[in-house]
Amino acid sequence: MMKLYMVWDEISNSYYSEVAGVTREEDKDNAYVYDKQHAIEVLKDVLMMKRAIQKAPDIPEDLKMPANLMLKEVPIDDVPISDYIINKTWENKIRHGYPFMQ
């Protein structure tokens, strides 16, 4: 079975996702899950972003919070799937001739 991972900051209890090259800080239910290879890439990008924020002179000190980033394995049952995606999946199955309940 494929393992899924999220990029998690233990200190702030925030999760990080990347969408079209833009890093987003989110709560658990809105963050993306990744396979291990892609989760590592997101983790590296978030680390680079955090380092840049730490070094930026124009960022207020209270926004330069420490981070303890890690990959967090997520069971597939804990991954919320939106109604939009579920409906789109069924549309594609029906369009390609699969029986409705298969």
Side-chain angles (χ1 to χ4, degrees), residues 2 15 17 28 30 32 38 40-41 44 47 50 59 71-72 75 79 94 97 101:
M2 180 177 180
Y15 294 81
S17 300
K28 183 178 181 181
N30 293 319
Y32 288 10
H38 291 102
I40 290 170
E41 289 176 23
K44 288 178 184 177
L47 284 170
K50 290 283 190 181
I59 303 285
L71 296 184
K72 186 175 186 181
V79 178
I94 292 167
M101 296 304 290

Side-chain angles (χ1 to χ4, degrees), residues 63-97:
L63 296 179
K64 296 182 179 183
M65 295 176 32
N68 187 14
L69 298 170
M70 62 185 73
L71 296 184
K72 186 175 186 181
E73 189 173 339
V74 181
I76 188 70
D77 296 339
D78 289 352
V79 178
I81 300 174
S82 71
D83 288 338
Y84 170 78
I85 297 299
I86 292 170
N87 292 335
K88 198 73 174 156
T89 301
W90 279 111
E91 272 179 35
N92 288 338
K93 282 185 173 185
I94 292 167
R95 187 177 304 129
H96 289 96

Side-chain angles (χ1 to χ4, degrees), residues 8-20:
W8 178 52
D9 181 353
E10 184 179 33
I11 294 174
S12 67
N13 198 29
S14 298
Y15 294 81
Y16 291 90
S17 300
E18 276 189 350
V19 178

Side-chain angles (χ1 to χ4, degrees), residues 45-64:
D45 291 345
V46 173
L47 284 170
M48 285 179 19
M49 178 192 71
K50 290 283 190 181
R51 286 186 191 123
I53 289 172
Q54 292 292 330
K55 293 178 182 177
D58 56 338
I59 303 285
E61 288 300 317
D62 60 333
L63 296 179
K64 296 182 179 183

